């Protein structure tokens, strides 16, 4: 059984000119670059211009990153509004001394909300088709990017799972621990691969992309259902995780509305006219 235990103790990142480029930040960069090339292929299929693709990339990066950061602060670390306000928007912290932190404290629920808002603005200003048209397509690269984000969490030894109580699991030695935990980040990353494959299949091999809202709904249902169940083996991300209910934590409570919205778009929603 000892062969199932892995001791994980990586470096934080790469030192460049006195700054540390965190591997977690690098995984976000990989996610956006990969997403760009996936969306480039989709836009070529849909006969969309490269100029609109460039704008999509800018809107996506700003919307997802800003939403993810604000989501984390609002849901898990509200004290930053009063204790270290500028660290909310900058990749540095000032409290306790200046430090370059890179991309840290990002919430996937906030990223999802930020993505939806940014796609609404992108459609209104650039695309002029429908919000659901772009959401049905952008979720394909987003699902692929989610894999690398969770790998970044694993490399960073953050969002760890609960102790397994056995020899199975990962010892996050970087956190000063000597006992194995569930590699919850890897559970999610592995499952998100199948979310990407499912969305890719339905887009390229079926006509579901013509059913407005279906792919967006499928993304919400699969991704947040995975998140809901993996949360059972995760450690709480803040001391306030279980205030709302003794059974479910914040991540699970936030996932339920996304799942319900996804089911609505998959099975109930009927497009009457383009949503501008």
């Amino acid at each position: 059984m000892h062969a199932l235990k892995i001791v994980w103790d990586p470096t934080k990142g790469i030192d460049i000119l006195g700054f540390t480029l965190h591997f977690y930040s690098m995984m976000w960069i990989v996610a956006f670059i990969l997403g760009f090339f996936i969306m480039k292929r989709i836009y070529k299929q849909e006969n969309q211009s490269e100029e609109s693709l460039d704008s999509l990339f800018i809107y996506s990066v700003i919307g997802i990153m800003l939403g993810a950061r604000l989501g984390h602060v609002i849901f898990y670390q509200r004290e930053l509004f009063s204790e270290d306000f500028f660290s909310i928007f900058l990749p540095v912290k000032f409290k306790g001394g200046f430090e370059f932190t890179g991309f840290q404290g990002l919430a996937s629920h906030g990223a999802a909300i930020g993505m939806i808002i940014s796609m609404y603005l992108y459609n209104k200003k650039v695309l002029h088709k429908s919000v659901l048209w772009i959401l049905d397509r952008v979720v394909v690269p987003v699902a692929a990017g989610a894999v690398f984000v969770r790998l970044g969490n694993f490399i960073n030894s953050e969002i760890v799972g609960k102790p397994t109580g056995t020899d199975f699991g990962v010892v996050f030695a970087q956190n000063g621990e000597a006992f194995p935990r569930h590699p919850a980040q890897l559970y999610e990353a592995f499952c998100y691969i199948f979310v990407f494959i499912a969305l890719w299949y339905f887009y390229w091999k079926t006509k579901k992309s013509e059913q407005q809202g279906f792919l967006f709904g499928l993304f919400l249902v699969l991704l947040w259902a995975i998140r809901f169940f993996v949360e059972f083996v995760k450690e709480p991300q803040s001391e306030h995780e279980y205030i709302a209910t003794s059974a479910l934590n914040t991540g699970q409570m936030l996932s339920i509305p996304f799942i319900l919205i996804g089911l609505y778009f998959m099975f109930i929603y009927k497009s009457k006219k383009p949503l501008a």
Side-chain angles (χ1 to χ4, degrees), residues 90-200:
L90 300 174
V92 297
K93 76 176 186 69
F94 299 93
K95 183 180 179 180
F98 179 85
E99 179 183 349
F100 180 80
T101 58
F103 300 129
Q104 287 189 344
L106 303 173
S108 53
H109 295 92
I113 296 172
M115 179 192 73
I116 293 171
I117 295 174
S118 64
M119 290 305 97
Y120 169 80
L121 296 174
Y122 167 74
N123 177 69
K124 187 174 182 179
K125 299 291 186 181
V126 180
L127 191 62
H128 307 299
K129 291 178 75 70
S130 78
V131 177
L132 286 176
W133 187 94
I134 183 59
L135 287 174
D136 280 334
R137 286 149 182 81
V138 78
V139 292
V140 180
V142 167
V147 176
F148 290 92
V149 172
R150 282 297 177 250
L151 290 177
N153 292 136
F154 178 76
I155 294 172
N156 242 24
S157 298
E158 60 189 7
I159 312 183
V160 297
K162 296 177 180 178
T164 62
T166 67
D167 287 330
F168 168 79
V170 175
V171 177
F172 292 97
Q174 186 179 7
N175 296 340
E177 299 176 348
F179 55 89
R181 292 179 176 274
H182 284 285
Q185 317 96 320
L186 297 185
Y187 296 164
E188 281 193 64
F190 180 75
C191 291
Y192 290 164
I193 292 174
F194 291 96
V195 176
F196 168 71
I197 292 174
L199 292 168
W200 184 268

Side-chain angles (χ1 to χ4, degrees), residues 24 32 92 97 119 140 157 168 172 184 209 211 215 267 272:
Y24 180 52
F32 279 118
V92 297
M119 290 305 97
V140 180
S157 298
F168 168 79
F172 292 97
S209 61
Q211 180 183 333
L215 292 178
F267 301 113
K272 295 181 180 180

Side-chain angles (χ1 to χ4, degrees), residues 7 44 56 77 103 115 126 146 178 185 191 193 210 246 270:
V7 177
K44 183 177 181 181
L56 173 65
Q77 205 175 0
F103 300 129
M115 179 192 73
V126 180
Q185 317 96 320
C191 291
I193 292 174
E210 299 176 8
S246 60
K270 301 295 182 183

